[in-house]
Amino acid sequence: MLVGQPFETLKTLTQVQSKSATTNTAKQINTVAKQSLFQTATNLYSTAGIRGFYRGGVPLLLGGGLMRSAQFGVCNSVLPILDTRYGKVAPSNYWFGCVNPHIVAAGWAGGIGRGLVEGPFEMVKVRRQVVSDWQYKQLLNGFGTTMFRNSFLFSSFVIYMDIFRQQIEERFDTKVSPFIKAGTCASMAWLTIWPIDVIKTRRQSGKYEGRSIGYLLKDVIRSGHMYKGLGVGLLRGFIANGASMEVYSVVEKELASRFNA
């Protein structure tokens, strides 16, 4: 999780930049809203040093293992249940010729499992990254949006992973490294749901108090901020998810060989 933390912090700071923020003066809001990514990084370094890029790292570290275990654990439990109960879906019945509906359902369930764990940790992480006070009664702020985002995010990820397997690895009889495969599919998944993530971050930041989800949705569309922070977010997603899957694969092989699994 800490591999991509500096990029995650910059992503969050970029996403909350808007004239609709309610915690600064009008002059400060206009200045911040126009900052480039480089300016955001420079300002962060000048005010907080290297440590500033790792704000929110503790809740992310504490919740990271749990949420990843939840998403893969639930997904890998639901998929065989669906295959056993309804039978495996034949490739001829895949949606659009490449999307396995059981993968979609299992991914959606995995996203919900992740959201149940991640919600409170994500709220604290965002508040620490933007240096905004919070209280324990606010731990579930943005919980519904986080659940909604994760359902689409993880289901998109496993769908892309399965399509990658079909169209690249099986078609060309090759094996792509877990880092490249997971990094690419994670980037595509983030690209698919990015506007939802912008809304989620703003909802949890504390800088849009009193703003409803509907207002935030209209605001990001009207202001052209639907893909704000996308560049650094995709970079973070590729590195973090690629590294995570690489480590996961190595550990899985080691455990399998050691315990003859």
Side-chain angles (χ1 to χ4, degrees):
M1 299 302 288
L2 293 180
V3 174
Q5 180 62 23
F7 303 110
E8 173 71 18
T9 300
L10 289 175
K11 174 188 81 76
T12 299
L13 292 175
T14 303
Q15 286 180 327
V16 300
Q17 294 172 4
S18 169
K19 294 181 180 181
S20 299
T22 60
T23 56
N24 294 314
T25 66
K27 183 177 180 180
Q28 288 174 323
I29 291 169
N30 286 327
T31 300
V32 170
K34 296 177 181 178
Q35 282 185 355
S36 66
L37 178 62
F38 179 76
Q39 289 173 319
T40 300
T42 301
N43 290 341
L44 179 59
Y45 180 77
S46 64
T47 57
I50 294 297
R51 292 181 61 182
F53 290 88
Y54 288 90
R55 286 175 182 160
V58 173
L60 194 63
L61 183 63
L62 293 175
L66 294 174
M67 70 185 190
R68 290 183 183 278
S69 297
Q71 67 183 14
F72 285 109
V74 172
C75 180
N76 292 337
S77 296
V78 170
L79 184 58
I81 291 176
L82 293 175
D83 286 345
T84 299
R85 184 167 184 175
Y86 300 105
K88 290 188 176 183
V89 182
S92 58
N93 292 325
Y94 282 4
W95 298 342
F96 310 108
C98 60
V99 179
N100 184 341
H102 286 183
I103 293 287
V104 176
W108 187 270
I112 292 176
R114 169 175 171 163
L116 289 171
V117 175
E118 185 178 16
F121 292 103
E122 184 72 5
M123 200 287 295
V124 176
K125 182 212 72 176
V126 170
R127 290 296 179 95
R128 290 182 66 85
Q129 286 175 325
V130 301
V131 194
S132 181
D133 294 332
W134 61 278
Q135 300 175 348
Y136 284 105
K137 65 181 181 180
Q138 298 173 313
L139 279 175
L140 296 182
N141 278 14
F143 185 78
T145 314
T146 300
M147 291 279 290
F148 188 66
R149 179 204 69 171
N150 284 356
S151 297
F152 276 102
L153 176 63
F154 190 66
S155 59
S156 296
F157 174 70
V158 294
I159 290 169
Y160 289 135
M161 287 283 282
D162 191 52
I163 293 176
F164 193 102
R165 175 187 59 78
Q166 298 172 42
Q167 303 300 321
I168 302 297
E169 295 184 322
E170 292 184 354
R171 174 171 292 188
F172 297 101
D173 191 24
T174 186
K175 192 70 174 177
V176 180
S177 74
F179 182 90
I180 298 298
K181 181 178 178 180
T184 301
C185 293
S187 296
M188 294 174 63
W190 278 110
L191 181 61
T192 302
I193 61 89
W194 195 260
I196 304 174
D197 189 63
V198 175
I199 295 171
K200 187 275 310 174
T201 300
R202 293 187 175 188
R203 177 81 171 127
Q204 293 180 320
S205 69
K207 295 184 178 294
Y208 297 82
E209 293 295 342
R211 307 297 194 186
S212 66
I213 295 296
Y215 174 89
L216 293 176
L217 175 60
K218 292 178 182 178
D219 184 54
V220 298
I221 295 175
R222 182 175 59 251
S223 62
H225 290 169
M226 292 179 64
Y227 290 92
K228 198 168 181 63
L230 178 63
V232 70
L234 292 183
L235 178 61
R236 175 261 171 200
F238 186 90
I239 295 174
N241 288 280
S244 296
M245 189 59 70
E246 189 71 43
V247 172
Y248 176 86
S249 300
V250 171
V251 172
E252 183 182 40
K253 290 179 181 178
E254 180 63 26
L255 291 175
S257 62
R258 182 165 297 186
F259 297 101
N260 296 318

